[in-house]
Short mmCIF file of all heavy atoms in Angstrom, two decimals:
data_model
loop_
_atom_site.label_atom_id
_atom_site.label_comp_id
_atom_site.label_asym_id
_atom_site.label_seq_id
_atom_site.Cartn_x
_atom_site.Cartn_y
_atom_site.Cartn_z
N LYS R 1 121.93 25.16 176.34
CA LYS R 1 122.54 23.85 175.94
C LYS R 1 123.68 24.11 174.90
O LYS R 1 123.42 24.71 173.88
CB LYS R 1 121.46 22.91 175.35
CG LYS R 1 121.96 21.53 175.04
CD LYS R 1 120.88 20.68 174.57
CE LYS R 1 121.38 19.25 174.25
NZ LYS R 1 120.30 18.39 173.75
N ALA R 2 124.82 23.56 175.23
CA ALA R 2 125.92 23.71 174.30
C ALA R 2 125.62 22.89 173.03
O ALA R 2 125.10 21.81 173.13
CB ALA R 2 127.20 23.23 174.97
N ALA R 3 125.96 23.47 171.88
CA ALA R 3 125.76 22.78 170.63
C ALA R 3 126.72 21.58 170.59
O ALA R 3 127.81 21.63 171.04
CB ALA R 3 126.04 23.70 169.47
N ASN R 4 126.16 20.43 170.02
CA ASN R 4 127.03 19.28 169.92
C ASN R 4 128.12 19.54 168.98
O ASN R 4 127.94 20.13 167.89
CB ASN R 4 126.19 18.11 169.31
CG ASN R 4 125.15 17.60 170.34
OD1 ASN R 4 125.44 17.64 171.53
ND2 ASN R 4 124.02 17.13 169.86
N ARG R 5 129.31 19.16 169.36
CA ARG R 5 130.48 19.33 168.56
C ARG R 5 130.32 18.49 167.26
O ARG R 5 129.88 17.33 167.31
CB ARG R 5 131.75 18.89 169.26
CG ARG R 5 133.04 19.07 168.40
CD ARG R 5 134.25 18.64 169.24
NE ARG R 5 134.49 19.61 170.25
CZ ARG R 5 135.29 20.68 170.05
NH1 ARG R 5 135.81 20.89 168.92
NH2 ARG R 5 135.56 21.49 171.05
N LYS R 6 130.66 19.06 166.12
CA LYS R 6 130.56 18.29 164.84
C LYS R 6 131.63 17.21 164.80
O LYS R 6 132.74 17.37 165.27
CB LYS R 6 130.71 19.22 163.67
CG LYS R 6 129.62 20.27 163.53
CD LYS R 6 129.89 21.22 162.39
CE LYS R 6 128.74 22.24 162.25
NZ LYS R 6 129.01 23.17 161.12
N ASN R 7 131.24 16.10 164.23
CA ASN R 7 132.19 14.99 164.03
C ASN R 7 132.89 15.25 162.68
O ASN R 7 132.64 14.54 161.70
CB ASN R 7 131.48 13.61 164.01
CG ASN R 7 131.02 13.24 165.40
OD1 ASN R 7 131.81 13.29 166.35
ND2 ASN R 7 129.77 12.86 165.53
N ILE R 8 133.77 16.21 162.67
CA ILE R 8 134.47 16.54 161.44
C ILE R 8 135.44 15.42 160.99
O ILE R 8 135.40 14.98 159.86
CB ILE R 8 135.26 17.87 161.67
CG1 ILE R 8 134.32 19.00 161.93
CG2 ILE R 8 136.14 18.13 160.38
CD1 ILE R 8 133.33 19.31 160.87
N TYR R 9 136.27 14.92 161.87
CA TYR R 9 137.26 13.93 161.52
C TYR R 9 136.62 12.52 161.60
O TYR R 9 136.87 11.69 160.78
CB TYR R 9 138.47 14.04 162.48
CG TYR R 9 139.15 15.33 162.37
CD1 TYR R 9 138.85 16.40 163.19
CD2 TYR R 9 140.16 15.54 161.40
CE1 TYR R 9 139.47 17.68 162.99
CE2 TYR R 9 140.77 16.73 161.24
CZ TYR R 9 140.43 17.84 162.06
OH TYR R 9 141.02 19.03 161.87
N GLY R 10 135.76 12.34 162.58
CA GLY R 10 135.13 11.02 162.76
C GLY R 10 134.33 10.57 161.58
O GLY R 10 134.11 9.35 161.37
N GLN R 11 133.80 11.49 160.78
CA GLN R 11 132.93 11.11 159.64
C GLN R 11 133.69 10.41 158.58
O GLN R 11 133.15 9.86 157.63
CB GLN R 11 132.20 12.36 159.14
CG GLN R 11 133.06 13.38 158.46
CD GLN R 11 132.28 14.65 158.08
OE1 GLN R 11 131.18 14.54 157.56
NE2 GLN R 11 132.80 15.81 158.35
N PHE R 12 135.02 10.48 158.61
CA PHE R 12 135.86 9.90 157.58
C PHE R 12 136.59 8.65 158.09
O PHE R 12 137.57 8.20 157.48
CB PHE R 12 136.89 10.87 157.00
CG PHE R 12 136.18 12.06 156.40
CD1 PHE R 12 136.25 13.32 156.97
CD2 PHE R 12 135.56 11.92 155.16
CE1 PHE R 12 135.62 14.42 156.35
CE2 PHE R 12 134.90 12.99 154.55
CZ PHE R 12 134.96 14.28 155.17
N VAL R 13 136.16 8.11 159.15
CA VAL R 13 136.83 6.96 159.74
C VAL R 13 136.10 5.64 159.45
O VAL R 13 134.92 5.58 159.55
CB VAL R 13 136.87 7.19 161.31
CG1 VAL R 13 137.34 5.88 162.00
CG2 VAL R 13 137.83 8.29 161.67
N SER R 14 136.87 4.68 159.06
CA SER R 14 136.37 3.28 158.90
C SER R 14 136.38 2.67 160.30
O SER R 14 137.14 3.07 161.17
CB SER R 14 137.19 2.47 157.90
OG SER R 14 137.14 3.04 156.64
N ARG R 15 135.53 1.67 160.49
CA ARG R 15 135.48 1.01 161.79
C ARG R 15 135.95 -0.42 161.74
O ARG R 15 135.50 -1.21 160.89
CB ARG R 15 134.02 1.05 162.32
CG ARG R 15 133.36 2.40 162.29
CD ARG R 15 133.95 3.37 163.27
NE ARG R 15 133.38 4.71 163.18
CZ ARG R 15 133.73 5.78 163.87
NH1 ARG R 15 134.73 5.67 164.76
NH2 ARG R 15 133.13 6.94 163.73
N LYS R 16 136.83 -0.81 162.60
CA LYS R 16 137.28 -2.17 162.78
C LYS R 16 136.92 -2.65 164.17
O LYS R 16 136.67 -1.85 165.07
CB LYS R 16 138.75 -2.29 162.53
CG LYS R 16 139.23 -1.78 161.17
CD LYS R 16 138.72 -2.63 160.07
CE LYS R 16 139.20 -2.10 158.69
NZ LYS R 16 138.61 -2.85 157.56
N GLU R 17 136.82 -3.95 164.39
CA GLU R 17 136.49 -4.49 165.67
C GLU R 17 137.44 -5.61 166.06
O GLU R 17 137.84 -6.44 165.19
CB GLU R 17 135.04 -4.98 165.66
CG GLU R 17 134.54 -5.45 167.00
CD GLU R 17 133.09 -5.82 167.00
OE1 GLU R 17 132.78 -6.95 166.58
OE2 GLU R 17 132.24 -5.02 167.40
N MET R 18 137.80 -5.65 167.33
CA MET R 18 138.66 -6.73 167.82
C MET R 18 137.99 -7.46 168.93
O MET R 18 137.37 -6.84 169.81
CB MET R 18 139.99 -6.14 168.30
CG MET R 18 141.04 -7.24 168.61
SD MET R 18 142.67 -6.55 168.98
CE MET R 18 142.49 -6.26 170.75
N PRO R 19 138.02 -8.82 168.94
CA PRO R 19 137.44 -9.58 170.03
C PRO R 19 138.09 -9.29 171.37
O PRO R 19 139.22 -8.87 171.45
CB PRO R 19 137.60 -11.00 169.59
CG PRO R 19 137.93 -10.99 168.17
CD PRO R 19 138.64 -9.69 167.93
N ASN R 20 137.33 -9.56 172.46
CA ASN R 20 137.94 -9.34 173.79
C ASN R 20 138.92 -10.53 174.06
O ASN R 20 138.89 -11.55 173.37
CB ASN R 20 136.83 -9.38 174.83
CG ASN R 20 135.93 -8.17 174.73
OD1 ASN R 20 136.32 -7.17 174.27
ND2 ASN R 20 134.68 -8.37 175.07
N LYS R 21 139.76 -10.33 175.06
CA LYS R 21 140.70 -11.35 175.53
C LYS R 21 141.71 -11.70 174.45
O LYS R 21 142.22 -12.85 174.40
CB LYS R 21 139.94 -12.60 176.04
CG LYS R 21 138.90 -12.30 177.09
CD LYS R 21 138.26 -13.59 177.61
CE LYS R 21 137.09 -13.31 178.57
NZ LYS R 21 137.50 -12.55 179.75
N MET R 22 142.04 -10.74 173.58
CA MET R 22 143.03 -11.03 172.56
C MET R 22 144.21 -10.09 172.63
O MET R 22 144.94 -9.84 171.65
CB MET R 22 142.39 -10.92 171.14
CG MET R 22 141.25 -11.89 170.88
SD MET R 22 141.83 -13.55 170.77
CE MET R 22 142.71 -13.57 169.23
N GLY R 23 144.43 -9.48 173.84
CA GLY R 23 145.50 -8.52 173.98
C GLY R 23 145.08 -7.11 173.55
O GLY R 23 143.97 -6.84 173.18
N LYS R 24 146.07 -6.19 173.67
CA LYS R 24 145.77 -4.77 173.31
C LYS R 24 146.27 -4.34 171.93
O LYS R 24 146.09 -3.24 171.54
CB LYS R 24 146.43 -3.88 174.42
CG LYS R 24 145.75 -3.90 175.74
CD LYS R 24 146.40 -2.89 176.62
CE LYS R 24 145.68 -2.79 177.99
NZ LYS R 24 146.25 -1.75 178.90
N THR R 25 146.90 -5.25 171.20
CA THR R 25 147.49 -4.90 169.94
C THR R 25 146.61 -5.45 168.78
O THR R 25 146.25 -6.61 168.76
CB THR R 25 148.88 -5.44 169.77
OG1 THR R 25 149.69 -4.86 170.82
CG2 THR R 25 149.51 -5.07 168.42
N PHE R 26 146.26 -4.57 167.86
CA PHE R 26 145.46 -4.95 166.64
C PHE R 26 146.36 -4.90 165.46
O PHE R 26 147.06 -3.91 165.21
CB PHE R 26 144.29 -4.00 166.50
CG PHE R 26 143.46 -4.19 165.28
CD1 PHE R 26 142.42 -5.12 165.30
CD2 PHE R 26 143.68 -3.48 164.14
CE1 PHE R 26 141.67 -5.33 164.16
CE2 PHE R 26 142.92 -3.69 163.02
CZ PHE R 26 141.91 -4.56 163.01
N LYS R 27 146.33 -5.93 164.62
CA LYS R 27 147.14 -5.96 163.41
C LYS R 27 146.23 -6.24 162.22
O LYS R 27 145.25 -6.95 162.32
CB LYS R 27 148.20 -7.05 163.47
CG LYS R 27 149.28 -6.80 164.59
CD LYS R 27 150.39 -7.86 164.50
CE LYS R 27 151.45 -7.61 165.55
NZ LYS R 27 152.55 -8.61 165.48
N ILE R 28 146.58 -5.70 161.08
CA ILE R 28 145.86 -5.94 159.86
C ILE R 28 146.84 -5.93 158.68
O ILE R 28 147.81 -5.14 158.69
CB ILE R 28 144.72 -4.94 159.64
CG1 ILE R 28 143.84 -5.33 158.46
CG2 ILE R 28 145.27 -3.54 159.48
CD1 ILE R 28 142.59 -4.49 158.39
#
């Protein structure tokens, strides 16, 4: 079994969420 790749970059990411049916562009 291949070792799971570490989330090196992902561990420093904040998470935002956008509702559906609002287009593909997110602004903040």
Side-chain angles (χ1 to χ4, degrees):
K1 185 177 181 180
N4 290 327
R5 180 180 289 272
K6 295 178 179 179
N7 288 310
I8 298 297
Y9 298 91
Q11 66 186 317
F12 298 109
V13 168
S14 298
R15 309 291 178 184
K16 303 295 180 182
E17 186 176 80
M18 190 173 86
N20 296 330
K21 304 183 187 300
M22 298 293 289
K24 288 186 176 182
T25 301
F26 175 86
K27 295 184 179 182
I28 189 169

